[in-house]
Amino acid sequence: MNGTADSACTPGAFNPDVSQDTIDTTICVSGWTATVRPPSSYTTALKNQQKGEYGEADIPNTALEEDHLVPLELGGAPRDPNNLWPEPRTSAGSTDPGQAAEDKDKEENSLKRQVCAGTISLAGARQRMLADWTH
């Protein structure tokens, strides 16, 4: 496992409610992602289905995080299976440092701050996530 999403299985998808024009009422509002985050019952069931597609059937669920390729913080589609995949966690020893859920979280938070500060466009931040986290 290299820690990135297979672009054929997980190409990414966007929330149609989030655009450059709506960031001040969506992603740049503290706590907004909690209003769109799917329940763990949904993501765990999807993780169990996708683990086989990713060759991770033998990896325990605790070593994987069902993650949004385009993060909710950047207006990723909350429930679209094209935007979710079983991402390895460094803390579980399932991938190399620098390519795991914890590392992706740092990048998405940094990009969200930049989008909200106006130093990068929403489209630019989304493209960077897709480039950095797919193979």
Side-chain angles (χ1 to χ4, degrees), residues 2-104:
N2 73 357
T4 60
D6 180 336
S7 60
C9 295
T10 310
F14 306 134
N15 181 340
D17 295 333
V18 180
S19 68
Q20 189 69 46
D21 291 337
T22 66
I23 62 171
D24 290 332
T25 58
T26 56
I27 66 168
C28 295
V29 174
S30 180
W32 180 82
T33 58
T35 68
V36 297
R37 187 173 307 283
S40 60
S41 58
Y42 174 79
T43 56
T44 299
L46 187 58
K47 180 188 336 183
N48 289 330
Q49 173 190 331
Q50 291 178 332
K51 280 171 55 172
E53 297 167 13
Y54 270 86
E56 300 169 342
D58 295 335
I59 298 174
N61 278 357
T62 56
L64 301 166
E65 173 182 320
E66 189 69 5
D67 198 16
H68 295 89
L69 176 57
V70 178
L72 299 178
E73 290 84 354
L74 296 175
R79 288 179 165 260
D80 189 329
N82 288 317
N83 196 43
L84 286 149
W85 98 100
E87 181 183 20
R89 299 176 195 257
T90 300
S91 59
S94 56
T95 194
D96 295 328
Q99 296 182 322
E102 296 88 347
D103 304 299
K104 183 173 175 291

Side-chain angles (χ1 to χ4, degrees), residues 20 23-24 27-28 74 107-126 128:
Q20 189 69 46
I23 62 171
D24 290 332
I27 66 168
C28 295
L74 296 175
E107 183 174 355
E108 59 196 44
N109 291 329
S110 172
L111 286 170
K112 177 192 169 191
R113 284 191 299 275
Q114 293 174 58
V115 168
C116 294
T119 59
I120 188 173
S121 70
L122 178 62
R126 287 172 168 176
R128 190 137 142 226

